[in-house]
């Protein structure tokens, strides 16, 4: 399908929806401008260095018409839920915040607003809150989300608040019919606050839906955020996400990222360590089997002095699965005393699987400590032989070593029930899972 | 009863011929030592018997309990009671030591048609063994050999061995890198396994271990062949005279 056709379909879809979108004239103008920029630049493709591994055709073949609105009942969600019974839940279905499926009380010091409501009642406020995406190719899908901006959620955490329970944000793709949904998420974490956020992506149906998330998080001085992100959508869904995170002085952000589902996932994280001594720790794992693809792109910019990054990503590909890790760390001249380490380790389990890893450091000051490394390989034959020499079945030994390869990324998950669930999901993807379970 | 019978075994690793016609018999009840200078092929011999990948058998046979050993995959050899104590036990972070012990023991028991041990029985057994090896119990819950000292790794090998109770134990330089106290503990572990139904083959460069585990036979491997066989006195002579005299001396004792 040619690029023109995709653009024509996006334009047609936009023309069909625009009358129903809330926000008045100012928002109509903003959306028109965003659309014009998307149509003018086109979506990123393989010619864009940061997008060269993505199977763009898998997105282009999807319908760009909106996913039809469905009404879900809580019992449809029950089988998908993570064991976070006490955690206040926020549910987005095909990009729309669903108050009836969500908890009204999101915890002490946490305010939640439906973006669709805000667009109607206070479009100027929505205008201020939602970041306007730039012209960079990496921001193009966020721009597309801006052109269709309608639904989503705004979360504000008061200064010094420390809700006892994590916030559970569930992104549901109804997946009963093909369609595209755009969601916006805005999170503001006040100074000194402590937030734990679990973001969970599921698909209920097997229609080839396309979900496009544009999200941003502002972390004020001294705040701490633990962000657990679990992609668990079915075998047909395509997910694109563009996250912007900005950290002020002495703030701390840790992310635990798991890409364990979906036909295609492209995840962009653009993180700015703006304030002095801000630090981020990013751990991640993708597992791609069958025909799945996971393509992770992270860009971390050190602006403040003595800022720190620690990034540890693992990838496992089997069958015809394809994975990519493209991690860029930029240390700007003002970031004296910055410390950045980046590690990407990848495992190919079958000959047709494919992984590309590109760690990139860009350093503009002398006073830094930076390390990075990337490996792509197969299981260690010496470890394998050791296990066989102890009588273990070869398939079991392989599964054990595969699990061991990603174990430290899993053990880093701060919530024990969730850690066990993720562990179980990873084990469930391995051959001889029952034997591996007996090892836990 | 013959446990292991090796006939004219020739083995290549890559381009290099390492074993050039090894012939060796090991009877039930025997403790035999294979000594030799560095590079003589000692580790290749234990490796090829245990099924280490990357070694190519060019000719010769190895018969274990009457079966063609070289035709069995490595895990099958282990299940049939062959145990290799590694010279360099590999670290496997993320695979819990005690779970490996349990999986390994149960794989062997299953093969023998015995019921698998439940968690309680297993822990009692492994605790007794770990006391015997004077190991810290915390090592059980670490990754396999992960962050173990050299001595702890070797003790862990002997711990596994005493748990698995092999019919044929191959100890590859188990004494290297051990201080004298650890050497005694390891030797006690090996001696405890001496039995009329079992054979132990110790590969070593030095005779030091043999002070504590007294062998019935000593074989000298040099240039890929057994060049001399004898009793314990041969080890003492090697200690006194080094290996060089053998290279030029007669090939029969």
């Amino acid at each position: 399908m040619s690029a023109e056709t995709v653009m024509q379909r996006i334009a047609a879809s936009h023309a069909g929806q625009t009358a129903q979108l809330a926000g008045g004239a100012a928002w109509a103008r903003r959306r028109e401008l965003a659309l014009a920029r998307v149509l003018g630049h086109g979506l990123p493709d393989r010619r864009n260095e940061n997008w060269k591994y993505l199977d763009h055709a898998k997105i282009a073949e999807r319908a760009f018409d909106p996913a039809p609105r469905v009404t879900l009942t809580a019992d449809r969600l029950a089988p998908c839920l993570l064991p976070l019974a006490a955690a206040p839940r926020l549910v987005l279905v095909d990009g729309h915040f669903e108050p009836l499926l969500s908890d009204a009380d999101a915890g002490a010091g946490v305010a939640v607003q439906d973006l669709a409501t805000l667009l109607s009642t206070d479009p100027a406020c929505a205008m201020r809150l939602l970041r306007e995406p730039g012209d960079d190719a990496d921001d193009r899908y966020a721009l597309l989300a801006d052109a269709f901006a309608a639904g989503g959620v705004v979360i504000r955490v008061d200064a010094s608040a420390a809700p006892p329970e994590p916030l559970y944000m569930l992104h549901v793709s109804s997946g009963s019919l093909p369609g595209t949904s755009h969601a916006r998420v805005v999170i503001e974490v006040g100074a000194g606050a402590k937030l734990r956020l679990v973001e969970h992506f599921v698909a209920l149906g097997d229609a080839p839906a396309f979900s496009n998330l544009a999200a941003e998080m502002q972390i004020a001085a001294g705040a701490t955020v633990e962000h657990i992100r679990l992609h668990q959508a079915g075998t047909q869904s395509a997910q694109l996400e563009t996250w912007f995170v900005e950290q002020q002085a002495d703030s701390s952000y840790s992310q635990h990222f798991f890409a364990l589902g979906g036909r295609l996932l492209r995840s962009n994280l653009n993180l700015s360590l703006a304030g002095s001594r801000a630090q981020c720790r990013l751990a991640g794992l993708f597992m791609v089997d069958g025909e799945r693809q996971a393509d992770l792109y992270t860009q971390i910019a050190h602006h403040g002095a003595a800022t720190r990054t620690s990034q540890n990503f693992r990838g496992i590909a089997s069958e015809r699965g394809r994975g990519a890790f493209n991690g860029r760390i930029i240390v700007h001249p003002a970031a004296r005393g910055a410390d950045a380490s980046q590690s990407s380790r990848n495992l190919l389990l079958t000959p047709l699987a494919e992984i590309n890893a590109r760690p990139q450091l860009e350093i503009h000051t002398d006073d830094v400590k930076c390390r990075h490394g990337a490996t792509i390989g197969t299981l260690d034959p010496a470890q394998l032989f050791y296990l066989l020499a102890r009588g273990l079945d070869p398939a079991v030994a392989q599964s054990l070593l595969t699990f061991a390869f990603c174990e430290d990324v899993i053990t880093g998950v701060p919530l024990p029930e969730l850690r066990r669930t993720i562990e179980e999901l990873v084990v469930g993807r391995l051959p001889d899972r029952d034997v591996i379970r007996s090892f836990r | 009863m013959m446990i292991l019978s090796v006939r004219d075994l020739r083995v290549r690793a890559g381009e290099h011929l390492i074993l050039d016609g090894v012939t060796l018999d090991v009877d039930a009840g025997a403790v035999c030592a294979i000594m030799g200078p560095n590079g003589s092929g000692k580790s290749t011999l234990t490796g090829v018997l245990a099924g280490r990948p990357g070694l190519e058998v060019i000719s010769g046979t190895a018969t274990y309990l009457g079966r063609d050993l070289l035709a069995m995959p490595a895990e099958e050899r282990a299940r049939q009671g062959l145990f290799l104590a590694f010279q360099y036990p590999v670290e496997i972070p993320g695979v819990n030591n005690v779970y490996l012990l349990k999986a390994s023991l149960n794989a062997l028991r299953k093969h023998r048609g015995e019921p698998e041990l439940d968690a309680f029985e297993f822990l009692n057994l492994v605790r007794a063994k770990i006391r015997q090896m004077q190991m810290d119990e915390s090592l059980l819950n670490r990754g396999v050999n992960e962050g173990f000292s050299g001595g702890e790794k070797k003790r862990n090998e002997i711990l596994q061995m005493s748990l698995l109770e092999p019919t044929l134990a191959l100890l590859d330089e188990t004494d290297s890198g051990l201080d004298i106290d650890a050497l005694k503990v390891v030797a006690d572990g090996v001696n405890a396994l001496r039995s009329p139904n079992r054979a132990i083959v110790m590969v070593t460069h030095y005779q030091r271990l043999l002070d504590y585990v007294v062998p019935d036979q000593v074989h000298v491997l040099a240039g890929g062949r057994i060049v001399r066989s004898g009793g314990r006195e041969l080890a003492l002579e090697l200690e006194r005279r080094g290996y060089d005299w053998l290279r030029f001396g007669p090939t029969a004792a």
Side-chain angles (χ1 to χ4, degrees):
Chain A
M1 201 167 296
S2 75
E4 283 77 19
T5 349
V6 172
M7 289 303 125
Q8 284 161 9
R9 283 155 55 216
I10 289 173
S13 169
H14 197 268
Q17 284 176 69
T18 190
Q20 297 117 51
L21 298 177
W27 268 100
R29 202 160 50 246
R30 174 164 165 170
R31 290 192 195 96
E32 285 300 336
L33 281 172
L35 179 73
R37 286 159 66 206
V38 170
L39 297 180
H41 296 300
L43 292 174
D45 60 29
R46 279 168 187 274
R47 288 169 295 184
N48 296 89
E49 194 61 16
N50 294 338
W51 294 80
K52 63 191 221 182
Y53 302 119
L54 189 67
D55 188 358
H56 297 276
K58 270 280 161 290
I59 295 174
E61 74 186 21
R62 308 222 163 203
F64 283 89
D65 289 329
R69 287 297 292 269
V70 293
T71 307
L72 292 179
T73 49
D75 57 306
R76 290 281 318 270
L77 297 184
C80 311
L81 295 178
L82 294 171
L84 296 165
R89 193 185 308 150
L90 306 176
V91 180
L92 287 92
V93 177
D94 297 329
H96 300 277
F97 180 66
E98 295 287 352
L100 292 176
L101 297 171
S102 304
D103 287 308
D105 180 4
V110 181
V112 173
Q113 266 181 306
D114 178 1
L115 183 61
T117 311
L118 190 67
L119 278 167
S120 305
T121 57
D122 195 350
C125 175
M127 193 67 80
R128 281 195 309 276
L129 279 173
L130 267 63
R131 182 185 70 91
E132 206 166 342
D135 271 332
D136 194 78
D138 293 344
D139 226 1
R140 198 66 44 76
Y141 279 95
L143 196 59
L144 183 65
D146 216 54
F148 288 85
V153 67
V154 177
I155 301 166
R156 288 188 176 102
V157 182
D158 292 346
S160 303
E165 292 298 328
L167 202 55
Y168 179 14
M169 190 191 300
L170 182 63
H171 297 267
V172 182
S173 169
S174 63
S176 46
L177 289 166
T180 292
S181 58
H182 305 278
R184 296 299 288 262
V185 170
V186 178
I187 302 174
E188 294 185 348
V189 184
K194 286 185 167 46
L195 173 70
R196 284 176 299 169
L197 173 67
V198 178
E199 228 189 331
H200 184 203
F201 295 79
V202 298
L204 296 182
D206 257 344
F210 173 44
S211 308
N212 182 28
L213 169 68
E216 51 244 36
M217 188 185 302
Q218 294 288 335
I219 306 175
T224 301
V225 175
E226 288 182 318
H227 193 181
I228 298 144
R229 315 195 64 235
L230 172 58
H231 283 279
Q232 207 196 340
T235 53
Q236 293 306 319
S237 72
Q239 173 82 48
L240 214 134
E241 54 181 36
T242 310
W243 262 97
F244 265 72
V245 177
E246 188 172 59
Q247 293 186 242
Q248 302 307 322
D250 300 299
S251 65
S252 161
Y253 175 75
S254 59
Q255 185 178 112
H256 307 267
F257 176 95
F258 297 90
L260 303 178
R263 172 66 181 75
L264 176 142
L265 168 67
R266 162 76 185 204
S267 177
N268 299 302
L269 171 65
N270 190 319
L271 187 144
S272 168
L273 295 161
S276 305
R277 296 170 305 278
Q279 52 176 304
C280 69
R281 297 170 62 87
L282 310 174
L285 167 68
F286 66 77
M287 287 180 92
V288 283
D289 55 11
E291 302 263 331
R292 292 170 197 259
Q293 181 178 23
D295 182 341
L296 317 183
Y297 176 73
T298 66
Q299 177 174 311
I300 300 160
H302 288 251
H303 293 284
T307 42
R308 297 170 74 93
T309 293
S310 148
Q311 192 175 22
N312 180 22
F313 271 63
R314 302 289 158 89
I316 300 172
S318 58
E319 296 167 329
R320 303 181 76 95
R322 289 167 57 199
F325 170 81
N326 192 348
R328 191 161 163 221
I329 295 179
I330 307 164
V331 181
H332 289 281
R336 289 175 305 279
D339 185 323
S341 72
Q342 184 185 54
S343 156
S344 162
R345 292 178 55 203
N346 301 285
L347 193 54
L348 292 171
L349 294 176
T350 52
L352 290 177
E354 179 187 321
I355 295 182
N356 290 285
R358 290 211 313 162
Q360 304 171 66
L361 283 179
E362 220 176 274
I363 300 172
H364 302 286
T365 172
D366 291 335
D367 179 19
V368 290
K369 212 166 100 187
C370 291
R371 303 160 294 285
H372 72 159
T375 59
I376 300 172
T378 52
L379 292 172
D380 179 356
Q383 292 183 336
L384 211 47
F385 173 58
Y386 190 87
L387 296 179
L388 299 182
R390 296 298 174 255
L392 267 61
D393 191 73
V396 170
Q398 283 187 18
S399 287
L400 264 183
L401 291 177
T402 305
F403 183 77
F405 175 81
C406 53
E407 200 228 9
D408 69 337
V409 172
I410 298 170
T411 49
V413 173
L415 303 160
E417 331 62 56
L418 197 53
R419 183 163 64 232
R420 276 189 291 276
T421 303
I422 291 171
E423 186 174 298
E424 182 58 27
L425 287 172
V426 170
V427 168
R429 297 282 292 275
L430 299 171
D432 290 285
R433 51 191 71 95
D434 295 333
V435 186
I436 308 306
R437 280 187 190 110
S438 71
F439 261 76
R440 309 310 308 158
Chain B
M1 182 183 68
M2 186 84 81
I3 286 186
L4 176 70
S5 175
V6 179
R7 287 286 168 274
D8 200 25
L9 191 61
R10 299 174 74 231
V11 173
R12 192 160 64 185
E15 300 283 288
H16 306 281
L17 184 70
I18 312 285
L19 298 182
D20 189 16
V22 170
T23 291
L24 176 72
D25 286 330
V26 182
D27 284 325
V31 172
C32 107
I34 296 178
M35 303 183 71
N38 289 330
S40 59
K42 302 188 300 289
S43 287
T44 300
L45 178 59
T46 54
V48 77
L49 294 175
R52 186 193 302 280
L55 299 174
E56 187 195 345
V57 176
I58 304 165
S59 62
T61 59
T63 309
Y64 170 68
L65 300 173
R67 296 183 53 186
D68 179 2
L69 182 67
L70 302 176
M72 295 181 212
E75 68 277 12
E76 173 73 12
R77 302 179 200 198
R79 291 171 195 171
Q80 298 275 358
L82 182 148
F83 181 89
L84 171 65
F86 284 66
Q87 181 181 8
Y88 303 110
V90 56
E91 296 196 19
I92 315 181
V95 175
N96 188 296
N97 203 26
V98 72
Y99 286 115
L100 173 62
L101 289 171
K102 190 171 164 209
S104 184
L105 181 61
N106 280 334
L108 268 63
R109 290 180 66 92
K110 194 172 156 193
H111 184 81
R112 296 196 292 250
E114 297 165 7
E116 297 189 1
L117 291 185
D118 66 31
F120 184 74
E121 294 169 315
F122 172 75
L123 269 179
N124 279 341
L125 181 61
V126 82
R127 285 210 174 105
K129 299 286 185 190
I130 205 161
R131 272 194 300 276
Q132 186 193 341
M133 293 312 296
Q134 299 179 24
M135 287 168 70
D136 191 325
E137 213 169 288
S138 71
L139 296 180
L140 282 178
N141 290 312
R142 296 248 289 270
V144 173
N145 296 317
E146 185 183 7
F148 287 24
S149 70
E152 284 168 340
K153 285 182 184 169
K154 295 300 179 76
R155 287 185 204 210
N156 199 35
E157 294 293 289
I158 303 305
L159 171 76
Q160 294 178 9
M161 182 176 81
S162 67
L163 199 65
L164 299 178
E165 302 183 319
T167 303
L168 173 63
L170 307 171
L171 277 59
D172 189 5
E173 308 253 2
T174 297
D175 51 336
S176 67
L178 291 184
D179 63 29
I180 194 71
D181 293 328
L183 184 69
K184 281 180 184 162
V185 172
V186 163
D188 287 348
V190 177
N191 282 324
L193 273 185
R194 292 184 92 132
S195 131
N197 306 318
R198 178 175 291 147
I200 298 171
V201 175
M202 297 181 292
V203 160
T204 179
H205 186 79
Y206 302 104
Q207 99 93 26
R208 198 172 64 140
L209 175 67
L210 309 185
D211 286 339
Y212 300 96
V213 184
V214 178
D216 305 305
Q217 297 136 29
V218 174
H219 303 281
V220 180
L221 188 66
R225 290 160 174 256
I226 304 281
V227 295
R228 196 134 182 153
S229 299
R232 192 185 168 211
E233 67 291 345
L234 177 57
L236 297 169
E237 192 173 2
L238 286 168
E239 181 81 350
R240 210 170 55 244
R241 300 176 65 180
Y243 287 106
D244 275 348
W245 64 281
L246 281 170
R247 296 192 182 162
F248 310 104
T251 53

